[in-house]
Structure formats: structure tokens, C-alpha cells
Amino acid sequence: MEEPRIGVYVCHCGTNIAGTVDVEEVAKYAETLPNVIVSRHYPYTCSDPGQELIKKDIKELGVNRVVVASCSPRLHERTFQTVLREAGLNPYLFQMANIREHCSWLHEASPELTEKAKRMVRAAVNRVSQHVPLEIRGLPIFPATLIVGGGISGMQAALEIANSNHMVYIIEREPSIGGHMAQFDKTFPTLDCAACILTPKMTEVARHPFIRVLTYSEVVGISGFVGNFRVKIRRKPRYVDEGKCIGCLICQEKCPWTALSEFNAGTSERKAIYTPFAQAVPNIPVIDTEHCVYFLKGKCRACEKFCDAKAIRFEQSELIFELDVGNIIIATGFDTFDAFSIPQYGYGRYPNVFTSLEFERLCSPTGPTEGHIMLADGRPPDSVAIIHCVGSRDKNYHEYCSRVCCMHALKYSHLIKEKTNAEVYQMYIDMRCFGKGYEEFYDRIQNEGVNFIRGKVAKVTDEPITEEEKNKLIVLVEDTLLGTMLRVPVDMVILCVALEPRKDANEVARLFHLGRSADGFFLERHPKLDPAATMSEGILIAGCCQGPKDIPDSVAHASAAAARALAMIARGKIEVPAVTASIDEDQCSGCKICNLLCPFDAISFDDEAKISRINEVLCQGCGVCAAACPSGAITHNYFTADEITAEIEGVLA
Amino acid sequence: MSFEPKIVGFLCNWCSYAGADLAGVSRLKCVPNVHIIRLMCSGGLSPFLILKALEAGADGVLICGCSPGDCHYREGNYKAIRRMALLKRILGQFGIEQERVQLHWVCASCGDEFVDVVNKMTAEIKELGPLRAGAISN
């Protein structure tokens, strides 16, 4: 192999690195290292001129190995490998020293940081001298896409992809698609009704020739890798034959047993055999076995008796099947904050304290009161307090802003004013009306005669101290603009509860190998420049599972995720990194230890030659076999013992 | 001058390296004593390389992998645990304290845990003092 001629590029990353690390000194030091023929520092190495600098040195100075000391290889390794390839070098003749995330950002500023950066560069130079060219493999991909979650984000992404005539599967664990948006009454700031804009989309999704909707189903397993995932789906039994059911819902009418309606946020009851709401897609009921008396006690079968289509199947069992997909979009949405966690607001104790989701249902013409805003005893309220930031912007619960509450609180004011004569009080910390048309909406509501009180509510109580407060809920709040404590007697209190990660976000994150940010939402690849991708290639995120979003933002995010998936589908293949293991046949003793260790069954035993062989297409490059081989016959490419040893000696020298 | 231990940190690419990245991105601060080397999987770390690091002058070796059940390669971290048990017996025979080689789980969203692990281990090794020169090679 030709003599290494190494080029070292130390990045300032603006002041992110150069602020605490003397990059000039690091670059000067690198010049003294063996095989280094050129060493430079540059403000933004990942920028176009920065990349050109490297290409120029490769072409003009004959640099044949490159070290970039900048950020994490998880961020820009691929960028620089592409630079090498474009300049005619094998992309694996490259090494990054992560002097930003693991040095300048991770330690208190001190002269030691420059020394540490030097050691990291020395390790990378040592290592890259050992690198050998590796071959990148092209693999075909499955063109289908799996979308987990059938809310507005999932549906939007599905339509974007399916409209290019590529297959999409939507997995939804509830009996119907639609998600939280289906529960909303009107949408801010335009006040168009959620159902009017959502239900046509649901129908479009269900009828689309390239979309298959799998409701009442969950992902239980996933294997493979980007472009080649195999996903295991569990389809829960509906106890209704989907092929025979005609959606007449006579079963729902005749069923004598009830449970609280999840769709109506517990404000009304539903039957034990039910569709969650009238516009459900598919319009096929499910039997809730926890409340169906036939499943509990073995008697009833009323639904079966009345079903003309003979669609009831008590003997149905769950179905497990597999799908091959190339991309996966996670759009699992959010849960709302549990208002019981803040007992001083009286949720659960006072019947006229509602959460925002419950109030949406009260406002909705398809809700328990057919859209009439009324108190628990059926009277219309004379006064309503809307409490902002319940669980949001609160160090005791969630530090983040839930982003939608200010706007839906304003919307509620409007709806209350429209439907009743009630006085409305908004108790807010700050009004955040940032979107298109939002500030104008805020202005409009102010002109409708709504009272705005700036302050965080301390308590909601039913203990009166004046005649006027009798039979009222009294909201105790400090008006921070006036500097006085107020007692506001009202009939109804609405708690604008926070949006929070799904209760099972941790299990979902584990299943799909997703990271989670400190707030618990799924972690995007880059907070600004790559918000829909994740650190797992081929797995994308859309909507509120990444963080609280309103509908326009969810839709935009979902479209971005779809565009990502479509880019890969259009390419038709992926390039698989050459990080795999290979066996030196002369050294293999045929002990078969590696055969059993490989988690992907990529190693098989050749009975004739009495040696093990690695299937490079199946190999995922974990290196477990190489670490275990007693004969040292297996090489973990790009992570060979020589390369790692060189790196160790570099950092310790 | 007080003793500043040199520790080599082998971090798996999928969880722990990402966790350390997150610590940096979140501007959490830890002591600079751990020198990170990226691996694909904690299960892909040969005990040979751990010994190599100690021989080359490290006072300790930190190995971080995905939490049990989270391994990108399904079960590489379990293989790391089993190797660790055997390696610790060998280390004992060399007269090397067990605390010098530590295995911890650091997930991709565990920036704070990474910082804790690094600070705690560095303090422990500081307490132990430098690794006796030639502990491995002689």
C-alpha cells in the first residue's frame, strides 16, 4: 500500500470549538505528527469552501488520508466521506476527531482543552494511518413505507407518499384512525371545524389504492436495517368479521353494556361493542372484552343475535404477521397531562373543572352535550375561568411550553362567548401567539370582551368568603400586572393541560432504537436542520411525538418526513456502509464459536471446507464475532484491532 | 501536581456515543480525563483491547453500551457483560483492582448519566492512584 500522506483539518465551528480550544495551536501540532503533510484550521470545515479546501489538497498535494477535527462523526462523518469520494479517494481513508461534543462542549473551559484536542487529533492521525480502502455495497430496498400512528401527522405522511404510487401501511392501535384531531371541535385561528377538514382526509386515506390501514394493530417487533426492515405486526381481535360487517351499528345500539367513552375523554359512555365515533374509519365496531358481559360471564351475545350480516366472531383471535418495508415513520402523537397531578386545581373533586380535551368534546356537536356548553347540572355557565400552562412551563411538571394551549384557550373564549352569555377569564403567564394569523386572532378575542389576567393560578376552591362566591368555584390568582391577589368566582374552570410524551414512549423508543430528549419526546437527528430524521437510519418521526405542535406544524413535519422517505424510494437502493466482518479462511480453525454469537445469523459453517463464512449482506457490522474469535481470523472492518490499538496509543501517548 | 488519571472510554456507536454527544450538545460538564474511542457495539470490544489500553498507559478503562434490551445488535451488550466477568478474574490475577475496568449502560438520551459515570469513575481511579507501570506487560 502507498505511503500515508495525511491532511488534517481543524475546524473552529465558529466559536463553538475555537472559543475554548486554540485551534491554531492544534493545527500546528498536527503538522509535527508522522505522515502528516498538511494541516490547516478553518472556520467552518463542513461548509462548501471548507470541503473544497480538502478536495484541493487531495488533488494538488496528493493527500491520501484525511482527518477532520470538528464535531461528532454521527453528524458529519458522511459529509466528509462524500468529499473524499468526490475527490477520488476511498471514503474509508478518513477519521474524525470529535473535539466539539466530546471536548469543547463537554468540559469547563481551561488550557487543558487544547491539550485534549491535540491528543484526540493524534489518535485520529495514528488510526487513519492504519485504514485500508473498503468497498461500499449497494443494496436494493423495499419500496413500501410503514407509518406508526394514524393521526393527522400519520395520515398526511401516508398521503404524500401514496400519491407517488408507492405502498404505505398505517398501523393504528385504536379502532379508528383520526387521532386527537378527530376529538377537537373547531381549529384555531380560522375556526373551521376539525371534523370538516379531517374526515375527508380519513376517507381519502382509507380509499387510497396505495394505502392499507391496519387499525387495532400494534408493532411488536422489528428487524433488519434501513431499506430492509421486517416489521412484526399484532392485529388485535375485533371480534367482528371486517369482510362481512356493513357498518350498520345495530350491534352498538342493542348492546346492553357500557363503559366510559375514550373518544369523549370520559365525558360520556359508550357500549361494550362500539365504534369510537360516528365518522370512524373503518366504520367497523370492536368488542371491548373488559366490559363485554359475554367475555366476562359467558352470557349475552345480543350483538350476534341482531347482526343481519352475521359478522360477529367471538372466536376470533389475534393475528401476527410481518411486513417488509424500507422506511418507517413514527407518528405516535402525544398524551395530555394528567390534571389529577395538580390537586390544588380541584380536577376530579369539583365536577365543573374540565380539562381542555373534555371541553373540546363539550363544544363539539358530536359530543355528549351535542355542542351545548353546560355545567355538570345542565345549566349554562355565567362565568368561566380558563387556566393556562397546567403542567407546562412549570418546573414541578414539564419545563417546556406546550405551544398550543394559548391558542386553544383563545378559541375556547370565542366559543363560550358565541354559545353562552358567560363572562370569560383567561389566566395566563405569557400569551404566545406566534403562528400565521395567531396574533390577529388574539387581537380579535381581546375585542370580544374577554378578561385577561396575567398570573399563575394558585388554587381553585369551593369555599366562599362572600355572598357572591356562594355556590361558585373561586379561582385564586395573583394579577402580576396590578400586583394584587384576586379571588375570581366562576361557574366553570377549564384546565389547559400540557401535551406530554405518550405513556409508552419508552417502549416505542426501545423498539425502534430512538433517542429521547430531556423532555421525553423522541429525539430528532438535528434540532434545526434535520427535524424529521432520527439517529436510526430509515426511521423518521413526524408530529407531536417529537415535541408539542399545532396542526399546521404537524402537517409540515409529516410532509418533511414523507419527503425523506420518498427520496430513498426514488433512489431505489441504499449504500450500505462497508463496516462488516470478514474471515481469513487460512486462519479459521472451524471452531464455530462465531456461528452462535452472530445475532443476525450471518455466519454459517461450510461443512466441506470446515470453516465459517460470513454473508456480507446479512452482516450488520457489530464486531461481536471478531472480538470472540480465538484464532484472530475475523477482521471487523473499519474497527480492526490494529486501528483501535493505534487510536489507544494515540490518546495515551 | 495532583494525579490526573488517564482513562480510555470505549463507547458503542448507537447509545453511549450518542449519549456522550448529547451531554456535549446539552453543555453538561464533566472532567476531561476520559478519552473516548468509538466502537460499533460494546459486544464487539475484544478483551485484548482493554488490556492493550492498560498496557499503553491507561489508569482505567470505561466501557459503555446500550442498556439491557436496547442493543442495536439485539444482544451485544449481554455478551459484553459475560466477557467482563471473565476479564475481571484475569485482572485480579495481574493484581489490578476491579474498579479500573468498569462497564456502564448509557443510553442515547442519557447525557446526564454519562457525565455522572465519567466524574464518578475518574474520582475512583484518582483514589486508587496510577496503575503500576508494567502491571500487564511484565
Side-chain angles (χ1 to χ4, degrees), chain A residues 72 74 107 116 516 597 599, chain B residues 13 21 30 34 74 79 109:
Chain A
S72 173
R74 292 172 60 86
H107 310 307
K116 180 156 187 180
R516 294 172 75 197
L597 281 177
Chain B
N13 181 56
D21 275 0
C30 66
V34 172
R74 295 182 194 160
K79 285 157 191 159
S109 49

Side-chain angles (χ1 to χ4, degrees), chain B:
Chain B
M1 209 175 81
S2 71
F3 161 63
E4 284 300 332
K6 288 182 191 168
I7 299 170
V8 171
F10 292 107
L11 271 58
C12 87
N13 181 56
W14 304 100
C15 293
S16 307
Y17 197 90
D21 275 0
L22 182 67
V25 171
S26 319
R27 310 296 198 279
L28 305 175
K29 302 294 177 200
C30 66
V31 292
N33 301 56
V34 172
H35 301 281
I36 295 169
I37 291 180
R38 182 168 66 127
L39 299 172
M40 293 312 279
C41 178
S42 55
L45 177 63
S46 158
F48 162 78
L49 290 169
I50 300 172
L51 297 173
K52 193 84 205 168
L54 295 173
E55 188 197 5
D59 300 301
V61 173
L62 168 66
I63 301 135
C64 298
C66 309
S67 310
D70 282 357
C71 178
H72 185 81
Y73 303 105
R74 295 182 194 160
E75 57 213 20
N77 45 3
Y78 293 111
K79 285 157 191 159
I81 306 179
R82 289 199 270 168
R83 286 207 186 108
M84 199 62 166
L86 288 173
L87 181 68
K88 290 225 160 166
R89 275 162 62 176
I90 297 174
L91 289 177
Q93 288 164 6
F94 279 111
I96 295 173
E97 299 87 345
Q98 300 235 333
E99 296 80 2
R100 291 197 188 271
V101 179
Q102 299 188 11
L103 174 67
H104 291 275
W105 309 133
V106 173
C107 72
S109 49
C110 303
D112 44 354
E113 281 178 29
F114 176 73
V115 164
D116 288 347
V117 163
V118 165
N119 287 340
K120 195 159 162 274
M121 177 164 178
T122 306
E124 284 172 15
I125 305 284
K126 234 179 198 174
E127 193 79 5
L128 286 177
L131 180 64
R132 183 168 47 88
I136 296 222
S137 42
N138 294 339

Side-chain angles (χ1 to χ4, degrees), chain A residues 48-97:
Chain A
D48 234 22
Q51 297 185 17
E52 280 308 312
L53 201 66
I54 301 174
K55 280 187 201 165
K56 203 161 150 248
D57 287 349
I58 292 172
K59 285 182 185 141
E60 293 178 2
L61 301 177
V63 164
N64 63 11
R65 270 131 219 265
V66 174
V67 168
V68 175
S70 58
C71 49
S72 173
R74 292 172 60 86
L75 197 64
H76 273 315
E77 186 175 54
R78 186 101 27 110
T79 312
F80 292 114
Q81 286 186 326
T82 309
V83 171
L84 265 71
R85 198 187 315 184
E86 283 169 2
L89 266 190
N90 185 281
Y92 288 94
L93 298 173
F94 171 74
Q95 179 67 16
M96 260 177 120

Side-chain angles (χ1 to χ4, degrees), chain A residues 152 155-156 159 177 197-206 555:
Chain A
I152 181 62
M155 289 194 288
Q156 178 72 22
L159 287 170
I177 54 172
I197 52 178
L198 184 75
T199 45
K201 235 181 168 93
M202 288 161 63
T203 320
E204 192 185 346
V205 163
V555 167

Side-chain angles (χ1 to χ4, degrees), chain A residues 402-645:
Chain A
S402 290
R403 293 179 94 243
V404 294
C405 327
C406 283
M407 288 306 293
H408 71 224
L410 290 174
K411 175 185 78 178
Y412 296 163
S413 301
H414 174 83
L415 294 174
I416 294 165
K417 286 276 177 197
E418 190 181 65
K419 295 185 179 184
T420 70
N421 295 318
E423 199 64 33
V424 181
Y425 300 90
Q426 297 262 356
M427 281 103 175
Y428 68 98
I429 307 179
D430 294 293
M431 289 304 296
R432 295 186 164 175
C433 309
F434 50 84
K436 185 173 177 176
Y438 289 9
E439 186 65 27
E440 294 89 326
F441 187 68
Y442 178 27
D443 203 41
R444 175 177 164 189
I445 303 303
Q446 281 178 309
N447 289 326
E448 286 179 4
V450 173
N451 306 291
F452 287 83
I453 299 171
R454 184 177 187 274
K456 195 165 171 63
V457 171
K459 193 178 177 184
V460 176
T461 175
D462 63 352
E463 289 168 19
I465 54 172
T466 62
E467 197 56 33
E468 183 197 15
E469 289 179 357
K470 269 202 178 140
N471 300 319
K472 297 266 184 186
L473 291 167
I474 304 108
V475 182
L476 276 66
V477 58
E478 182 192 1
D479 187 326
T480 56
L481 296 180
L482 296 176
T484 52
M485 280 303 295
L486 300 178
R487 290 175 64 91
V488 185
V490 293
D491 291 324
M492 179 189 268
V493 171
I494 304 168
L495 305 176
C496 294
V497 286
L499 272 52
E500 60 182 20
R502 286 276 188 198
K503 305 267 176 300
D504 58 353
N506 207 30
E507 288 83 74
V508 175
R510 281 185 176 203
L511 189 61
F512 294 100
H513 299 291
L514 300 173
R516 294 172 75 197
S517 40
D519 54 19
F521 290 102
F522 297 144
L523 188 66
E524 62 286 335
R525 185 179 273 264
H526 191 284
K528 294 168 198 79
L529 303 178
D530 214 350
T534 68
M535 284 300 180
S536 298
E537 285 285 332
I539 298 186
L540 305 154
I541 44 178
C544 286
C545 65
Q546 182 255 355
K549 279 178 199 61
D550 53 18
I551 296 166
D553 284 0
S554 295
V555 167
H557 198 216
S559 302
R564 267 309 184 80
L566 276 171
M568 195 211 285
I569 295 167
R571 245 188 348 258
K573 64 178 172 72
I574 44 150
E575 288 184 338
V576 185
V579 181
T580 53
S582 49
I583 294 183
D584 179 343
E585 298 190 357
D586 291 337
Q587 288 203 39
C588 176
S589 65
C591 70
K592 296 190 189 176
I593 284 176
C594 56
N595 293 217
L596 295 171
L597 281 177
C598 179
F600 304 101
D601 293 331
I603 312 181
S604 54
F605 192 69
D606 182 337
D607 273 321
E608 258 174 44
K610 302 279 181 226
I611 54 167
S612 294
R613 289 188 198 280
I614 293 177
N615 178 337
E616 289 213 346
V617 175
L618 293 177
C619 175
Q620 300 288 300
C622 65
V624 161
C625 55
C629 179
S631 329
I634 306 183
T635 307
H636 185 202
N637 296 313
Y638 209 44
F639 290 88
T640 66
D642 287 346
E643 287 163 355
I644 304 290
T645 304

